[in-house]
Amino acid sequence: MHAQIKELYPLCRSITGNGVRQSLQILKRSIPLEIREVPTGTQVFDWTVPKEWNITDAYIKNAHGERIVDFKRLNLHVMSYSIPVKRKMSLAELRPHLFSLPEQPDWVPHKTSYYKENWGFSLSHRQLQSMEEGEYDVCIDSSLTDGSLTYGEYVLPGTSQDEVLISTHTCHPSLCNDNLSGIAVSTALAQALADRSRRYTYRFLFIPTQIGSMTWLALHEHVVPKIKHGLVLVGLGDSGSMTYKRSRQGQAEIDRAAIQVLKDSGHPYKVVDFFPFGYDERQYCSPGFDLPVGSLMRTPHGQFPEYHTSADNLEFVKPAALEDSFHKSLSLIEVLERNKTYVNQNPKCEPRLGPRGLYRTTGGHTGSGQIKEMPILWALNLSDGVHSLLDIAERSNLPFAEIAQAAESLEACGLLREK
Ligand code: ZN
């Protein structure tokens, strides 16, 4: 995952344009995703697919002809969606178009102006302060033209038509945690699921944030009723602990499954309620859709100083954090896959477990590999055709995996039957 982030890092992504196309082409080597193009001007609810933005070069040259700010060195130097500029100007004229972070004087901020025509450069505050009066040669070699919005989609069919939506955004340039970590974890998850038998159908979306989910929803209203669970994956590579943001519904199965996985991990975690800000959960959880879509992340956006700056770089995202995020995401999917409701076939008093090989025959410690007693008893007691395995895990305060393993063993010997 970190190697993939490293390959994607230099590309200049935005909400449209060739940087997104190139990024999706790189992902296509790992998963056979479909690359879709939606033309500029397409109406998507209250919004319109914008003009396509592309950029080949940009710089500010000083009086000696030296590139003191150079897009080719770091694409964050140019405000995303900057209109073309090519002329000489004084520092006073240039100054309103320069952005820096006085509180982090060595970092370059990430700036955008998608829906208002503007142009600008970002630079470190230290560099801004060192700029002298005089004439500067300013160039942004960009284009804003009728083109399309590009997104990637990969559907892995399951035995059921019911779908799990995994959505991640692809519109940030050289930023690693906010953007590339979600892309890398989603891609690894898609690869892992491709090799497994699946109850659910999985739909992976790689989209520009907000306008991308609006566009996808506008063009796929017929698919929406099939979505039973969904997850927005963002910010999964920093060293912070995990955070889960609930769906608007708040108590959906995805919400409960995510919290169960985080609890079972034994690691610290936080749960936050839904709020109508953040990433694409804003659109999936808009009242007209109200989909059960939560968001899994590590440190929430805006709560780490590196957020939307050049310090969100290849050193900021850690392979171990990516791996941990991947395993937790996969565990969450395993809970969804295994969360079934069973009916006890011997409900009048407890059945005899010993003859069925389900009970330890000698007292004392239950070693690994042996079936544990309490999950068996809980699964038998609460499998009344009403309680799901997730209900049983929550009520028993036992790990979901133990309850699921017990239920699957009980089903194998005929004591439980799936409802
Ligand atoms: Zn962002």
Side-chain angles (χ1 to χ4, degrees), residues 78-139:
V78 175
M79 174 192 273
S80 194
Y81 260 69
S82 282
I83 56 172
V85 182
K86 181 83 187 86
R87 60 195 173 85
K88 291 190 191 313
M89 61 185 82
S90 67
L91 182 59
E93 205 183 343
L94 176 58
R95 188 64 189 78
H97 296 277
L98 300 180
F99 301 93
S100 69
L101 286 170
E103 64 276 21
Q104 296 288 356
D106 293 314
W107 298 356
V108 176
H110 167 50
K111 288 280 176 191
T112 66
S113 186
Y114 300 138
Y115 300 105
K116 182 173 176 283
E117 287 204 352
N118 196 358
W119 62 271
F121 285 90
S122 291
L123 68 172
S124 73
H125 195 63
R126 225 176 277 286
Q127 189 176 13
L128 177 65
Q129 284 181 310
S130 73
M131 285 173 76
E132 292 166 359
E133 293 299 330
E135 201 174 52
Y136 288 92
D137 182 4
V138 178
C139 168

Side-chain angles (χ1 to χ4, degrees), residues 240-252:
S241 52
M242 298 295 292
T243 303
Y244 178 72
K245 177 181 173 182
R246 288 183 191 268
S247 70
R248 180 181 183 270
Q249 296 180 17
Q251 289 291 341

Side-chain angles (χ1 to χ4, degrees), residues 169 172 178 279 307-308:
H169 64 285
H172 288 35
D178 183 10
Y279 296 94
Y307 172 71
H308 278 191

Side-chain angles (χ1 to χ4, degrees), residues 365-376:
H365 179 71
T366 305
S368 63
Q370 282 182 276
I371 297 160
K372 289 185 180 172
E373 184 179 331
M374 286 314 293
I376 291 270

Side-chain angles (χ1 to χ4, degrees), residues 391-412:
D391 292 324
I392 301 172
E394 287 174 344
R395 187 157 172 192
S396 66
N397 206 25
L398 291 170
F400 178 87
E402 288 185 11
I403 297 292
Q405 194 198 354
E408 287 154 15
S409 305
L410 289 164
E411 186 184 29

